[in-house]
Structure formats: structure tokens, C-alpha cells
Amino acid sequence: PELFEKEILDFSIDSRTTESGELFFALSQPDYERAGFNGQFADAHNFIQSAFERGAIAAVARRDRVTSDTKLEGLVDRLLLVDDAIAALQTLARKVYEQWGRPVIGITGSAGKTTTKELTAHVLAHAGHRVLKSERNYNNGLGLPLSVLQMVSRGRRPQDYDLAVLEMGMSSPTHEIRRLVQMTPPDVGVELMVAPVHLEHLGTIETIAAMKAELIEGLKPGGIAVLNADDELVMEMKSKTDGPVLTFGIQNEADVMARDIDMSRFGSIQFLLQTPEGKAAAKLPMTGGHNLMNALAASAVATALKIKPELIADALGSAKPPKMRGEIAEFAAGFTVVDDSYNSNPRSLISMARTIAEAREKVKRRVIIAGEMMELGPDAPAMHREVGREIAQLGVDVLWGVRGLGSEIVAGAQESGMQSARFFVSSDEAAATAVDEAREGDLILVKGSRSVETDKVVKALKARFPLADER
């Protein structure tokens, strides 16, 4: 048929952003449920016509859905009929991966996946590898196949890439990572940390560890496990593989380590990178001990691929944080904002708060604007309150809690004697106040789960005040 003579330029799962020449996958509730997604989803078969109007050349649709809809039957000459649209997307990605057949680095962890993915891809590209990487935080049963399909979209070819660096995430006990590693079995599997996130769906931290361990269980035969030596639950995953293990860490002895760490200059970490291949002085232009750990994970991957420490250190020196994940904005008015508003959990919030508290250079006032942390399960109020207590004890000058359980962060801080803790019911309210109260010498951390939209605070400050390099 004429349809099969048309070239597919790209792949889409959202009719609102579909562009000319793309193949549209019409996803629906039965597909999502089979693939282990939580929640109720719109039936994209209702938007196939809209995708065509935006230029889609064809759509993948469920056979049973089309045969019961007269409108869709009228479009059948442009439909590819399947039993499950998500399974079709995943099968297509698997076939592209199999034909390509080159090494995959899989990265998982309760926090830090996207930053580590970016750092790893940066180091490997610096060493001369042509790297395919997950787009943004595409790390689930839809994002991973879309990332793989980049190899055959917009004129790209599989032979243009030497290896792939892919995030692998999970948020429910439905073996999401097992499905991901079946699509693209990793040659190197990175475990960053196990922390209490998604407890609303996962129940216990032990369940989180078991689900994360599926990455190590799914390694290719002889694949290398890269494990965080400072996380006990991660180190227990050594038992899940018979292959080589490479460890990274700061506190505990590891194969890849940071020695002589200097974080005295805000936004820069200097350290001695130690690997089995030797040592090298390194500088990471990022903030916080958690980002140093992410850099060590990337360094361990590079070490597994036989890249020398000098080359790794040189690459780290030109790394940048991903958007809204520790981005630093210097304002002409003399204050600095750390935009870490993409995600938050107790461990990452405390890590960033500690970094803010320890900053000394040109800092008159340390301010933390902390949004509610989502999906922490029934113990969420107590966890928020404990975070507030810990932040108060760090010696931060100002603490704001934003939305919902942000009130518990404030309550915990006040219990520990912090008088300058305040609660805001929304990010809009916090943003309006921040614009009025930001002043010279402030170091302001903005952090929160994505749905809380604490990035509105950063946007409001940028709208009101010019950045230092815009003067």
C-alpha cells in the first residue's frame, strides 16, 4: 500500500506536539495498565484525527478499539492495527536496539539519575565516543523506547552511535525496570542510591531496593555492575550478579573515590579522583556532595570502559548541571539562586541544605525554599517534620515551606527553635514574597517536587531582576 512507501521522520505519543512526518502511537488505558503505569489516562484514539491534522503520516491503534468506532474505521487506510500500542512501541525499540547491538549503560537510583546520565554521556563523549542518551528524564516504559528510537529519527542512523546511556526509572512494584532491561539489556548497570521515594506505591524501602536491583539482575552475561559503596542497600546487590563489580564512594573504601575534597568555593568542587587506573586532580563546576557522588558514578562507568583518570577529570571540568537540577543563577543585585526545583526527597533536600549552610564566600544570608515532597507514603508528615528539624540544626538563616506538607517542614524547624521558618500555601505566594525580600548577599536554594512548581519562584526572580551577565 501507499502508506508503507512513506518515510517516518519521528515518533509521537502526544497529539498536541505531533509534527509533520511522524508516526503517532494512540495509547489507551488497557495499554497503560498492562505496562504497569499507575492512574487513569486519556484514550488517545480520540485524538488520532488531531494528530493527522498536525501532519502525522500514520497512527498505531488498537484493533479492538478501531473496529468499534465508525469514525476510526473511516481512517483505517492510515492506521497500523495492533493488540497493544505500548507493546508495539516497545517492540519497535527492541528491534532497533537488536540491529544496532552496541553497549548500553543503564542508570537507576532513587535520585540523581538524570544528572548522572548527563555527566556520564559528557565524559564518554569527551573521550571520543558517539553517545546516544535518554532525552530529558525519559526513563520509563514510554521514555526509554522513545530514546532508543532517536537512532532512526530525523535523519539519524544507528551506526552514528557507539553506545547508549539510558536512565531506567520505576515508581511502582510492577517490575518496571525488569521490562526496561528486557528492551535494552545493559552492558554496564549503575545503582546510585536507595531512598524513601514513591513509598505511596511501593510501601517499604526494601521493596524499592528489590525493584532497583532488577537492573543488576538484568545485566548482559558478564556485564559490569557499578555500585555505590556508601549505600548499604545498594551494596547488597552484589549478590545479584556473577559478573564484575566496580564500586564508587566517598565515605567507604571503593574502586573509584574522591579524596582531598574541597567544597569551600560555592558552585565548585575540587578533589583528587582515584581509580584503579590511577589518580588525577579534578574540578566539578557543580554544587553539593550528592553531585560529587553522581560524578563518581560517571567516573566509574568511564573506568569500566578503560578511560584514563586524566581524561575523566578533564571532562568533568566542563560539565554543567541539567536544567532545574542545581543550576546556579547569579543576579546583578548581588544574590545567588540555586535552582533545584525539578525533584525532591528527604535525602536530596538535606544534602543540598547542608551545602547551602556550609557556603561562606560572599554569603550574608542562607535561604532555603523547600516545596512539599511527593509520594512518600503514610509516614510523609513525619518525614517532612524531621527534614525541618535537620535543616534548623544546620544553621540556615531562613526556611520557607511551600504547599501541603511543606507546613510540616516549617513545624519541624520551629520545634528546633528556628524563628525564621514560614509556610506558603502555594509557589505563586512564595514567588511574590521572594521578589520583595531577596537582597544582596543572599544564597537561595529553591527545591521541590515537580508538581509543586517551585520553579515559579526562580522564574519570578528572573522576571524582576537581571542576571549578573545581563548587566
Side-chain angles (χ1 to χ4, degrees):
E2 182 185 338
L3 178 62
F4 291 101
E5 296 175 6
K6 294 183 178 180
E7 181 184 3
I8 298 170
L9 296 183
D10 211 335
F11 306 87
S12 171
I13 60 171
D14 187 340
S15 63
R16 296 167 296 185
T17 58
T18 299
E19 296 182 4
S20 180
E22 294 185 349
L23 175 62
F24 175 65
F25 286 78
L27 312 183
S28 58
Q29 191 66 26
D31 304 343
Y32 283 108
E33 289 177 2
R34 184 211 57 83
F37 286 83
N38 298 310
Q40 295 294 311
F41 299 89
D43 184 351
H45 293 84
N46 296 325
F47 307 113
I48 289 175
Q49 182 62 50
S50 174
F52 286 159
E53 289 168 2
R54 293 186 63 89
I57 59 169
V60 178
R62 285 180 68 99
R63 186 176 286 103
D64 59 358
R65 182 69 175 74
V66 172
T67 55
S68 62
D69 189 319
T70 52
K71 287 184 180 177
L72 290 178
E73 285 185 333
L75 302 172
V76 75
D77 60 331
R78 298 176 67 185
L79 301 180
L80 302 173
L81 302 182
V82 298
D83 294 327
D84 183 317
I86 292 181
L89 176 69
Q90 294 174 342
T91 300
L92 180 60
R94 170 75 193 191
K95 295 298 182 185
V96 168
Y97 159 75
E98 286 175 349
Q99 290 181 7
W100 173 65
R102 297 181 185 180
V104 167
I105 293 96
I107 298 172
T108 196
S110 297
K113 292 184 292 296
T114 299
T115 301
T116 303
K117 175 255 299 181
E118 293 291 337
L119 287 168
T120 301
H122 178 73
V123 171
L124 299 183
H126 188 83
H129 292 285
R130 298 172 302 165
V131 182
L132 173 82
K133 65 178 181 178
S134 302
E135 284 295 297
R136 300 189 289 279
N137 66 328
Y138 278 15
N139 60 27
N140 63 14
L142 298 175
L144 186 134
L146 288 171
S147 294
V148 171
L149 291 174
Q150 289 179 86
M151 280 197 253
V152 291
S153 62
R154 302 290 166 186
R156 295 181 285 257
R157 303 169 304 163
Q159 56 264 41
D160 295 336
Y161 301 97
D162 301 317
L163 47 80
V165 182
L166 303 174
E167 281 187 54
M168 296 185 175
M170 41 77 69
S171 59
S172 69
T174 56
H175 304 292
E176 292 172 81
I177 290 179
R178 184 179 298 169
R179 292 188 183 93
L180 300 179
V181 297
Q182 287 169 348
M183 265 186 279
T184 53
D187 298 77
V188 180
V190 183
E191 294 279 355
L192 297 172
M193 64 150 76
V194 176
V197 299
H198 304 304
L199 285 175
E200 179 182 334
H201 304 296
L202 289 155
T204 68
I205 198 163
E206 289 77 17
T207 303
I208 295 170
M211 295 296 102
K212 293 291 183 189
E214 290 179 350
L215 175 65
I216 305 304
E217 293 168 351
L219 286 173
K220 276 188 188 168
I224 300 171
V226 174
L227 304 181
N228 179 352
D230 294 347
D231 190 308
E232 187 177 337
L233 289 171
V234 168
M235 287 304 290
E236 288 176 4
M237 297 179 195
K238 285 180 76 171
S239 65
K240 303 292 184 181
T241 179
D242 296 326
V245 174
L246 201 62
T247 57
F248 64 95
I250 297 172
Q251 298 167 353
N252 296 333
E253 207 57 36
D255 299 310
V256 176
M257 296 195 72
R259 304 279 195 191
D260 306 329
I261 300 166
D262 180 0
M263 296 190 192
S264 60
R265 186 169 180 272
F266 188 77
S268 175
I269 305 170
Q270 293 186 321
F271 62 101
L272 182 67
L273 175 64
Q274 178 180 299
T275 82
E277 302 288 326
K279 302 176 182 179
K283 181 178 178 181
L284 180 69
M286 295 170 70
T287 299
H290 60 295
N291 277 326
L292 177 55
M293 285 295 285
N294 295 336
L296 290 176
S299 301
V301 173
T303 300
L305 298 177
K306 307 300 182 187
I307 297 172
K308 297 294 184 186
E310 296 81 8
L311 195 53
I312 298 171
D314 189 50
L316 291 177
S318 58
K320 294 178 181 176
K323 189 172 177 60
M324 297 193 295
R325 288 177 169 90
E327 284 185 293
I328 297 172
E330 303 275 358
F331 286 80
F335 60 87
T336 300
V337 172
V338 182
D339 181 2
D340 204 36
S341 58
Y342 194 86
N343 212 342
S344 189
N345 64 64
R347 273 177 67 170
S348 63
L349 175 53
I350 289 298
S351 175
M352 283 298 282
R354 187 170 287 115
T355 302
I356 296 296
E358 292 171 357
R360 294 286 175 264
E361 192 176 274
K362 300 178 184 175
V363 178
K364 297 177 183 175
R365 195 171 67 143
R366 295 156 192 82
V367 180
I368 294 177
I369 302 175
E372 177 181 21
M373 297 173 284
M374 309 304 291
E375 296 188 2
L376 294 180
D379 294 332
M383 294 166 83
H384 281 78
R385 192 170 286 243
E386 179 57 30
V387 163
R389 292 191 196 100
E390 290 192 47
I391 291 175
Q393 289 159 13
L394 290 173
V396 172
D397 299 292
V398 176
L399 171 64
W400 293 358
V402 180
R403 211 189 79 172
L405 290 175
S407 62
E408 293 290 341
I409 298 176
V410 170
Q414 290 172 339
E415 284 174 10
S416 295
M418 188 174 189
Q419 302 300 312
S420 56
R422 296 165 62 185
F423 174 64
F424 294 84
V425 296
S426 70
S427 291
D428 290 305
E429 187 179 298
T433 306
V435 163
D436 290 336
E437 297 193 7
R439 57 182 188 249
E440 183 183 359
D442 280 356
L443 175 58
I444 305 169
L445 168 66
V446 181
K447 190 164 178 63
S449 292
R450 187 73 196 93
S451 61
V452 184
E453 300 182 299
T454 50
D455 58 304
K456 287 181 174 180
V457 177
V458 182
K459 289 175 182 173
L461 290 167
K462 287 181 175 179
R464 173 70 67 89
F465 301 99
L467 294 170
D469 55 8
E470 292 175 353
R471 275 181 297 195

